[in-house]
Amino acid sequence: MAKGQVAQVISTPGGANVVMEKNPGLKGKLGFFPVPGKTAGTPGAVFTGGSDLVIPTAAGHPDEAVTFIKELTGDAWQKKLAVAMSYVPNRTTLASAVADDPGAPPRWR
């Protein structure tokens, strides 16, 4: 997209920031819209991946791994990660953490 060869990208809200870093001339020229759903006026459900966290059976420190996953998926870290990485939080109740992101849908504001 930053090279001008693609017109549309399905991405997390901060994806446009990455494009603009690579091509500052696109600043102010990019827009956002939800992925279309099955009916007009209803956005589609999307998944950008990466939500499977597992602890292997042979893990050397399974209790510590459980603690880490609980911390990582807890509200405090999800808010921090959402803001720092412009990701969609893992719970709709945390959407306000990225409400100021230009790609966030109006319902999050």
Side-chain angles (χ1 to χ4, degrees):
M1 184 169 195
K3 293 181 180 181
Q5 298 174 352
V6 176
Q8 178 179 325
V9 174
I10 296 174
S11 180
T12 58
N17 293 334
V18 175
V19 171
M20 288 184 289
E21 286 172 11
K22 301 289 182 186
N23 185 345
L26 291 176
K27 188 172 184 170
K29 297 179 181 179
L30 302 178
F32 304 92
F33 61 91
V35 173
K38 292 181 180 181
T39 61
T42 302
V46 296
F47 178 70
T48 54
S51 294
D52 296 329
L53 302 172
V54 299
I55 302 169
T57 304
H61 302 280
D63 293 337
E64 290 86 346
V66 169
T67 299
F68 174 77
I69 289 173
K70 285 182 179 178
E71 287 294 321
L72 182 65
T73 59
D75 288 4
W77 272 104
Q78 282 299 304
K79 287 180 186 177
K80 289 178 186 179
L81 289 169
V83 171
M85 301 173 76
S86 192
Y87 280 179
V88 177
N90 66 354
R91 291 179 209 46
T92 56
T93 56
L94 302 177
S96 63
V98 290
D100 292 335
D101 192 293
R107 69 180 184 275
W108 289 5
R109 295 184 181 117

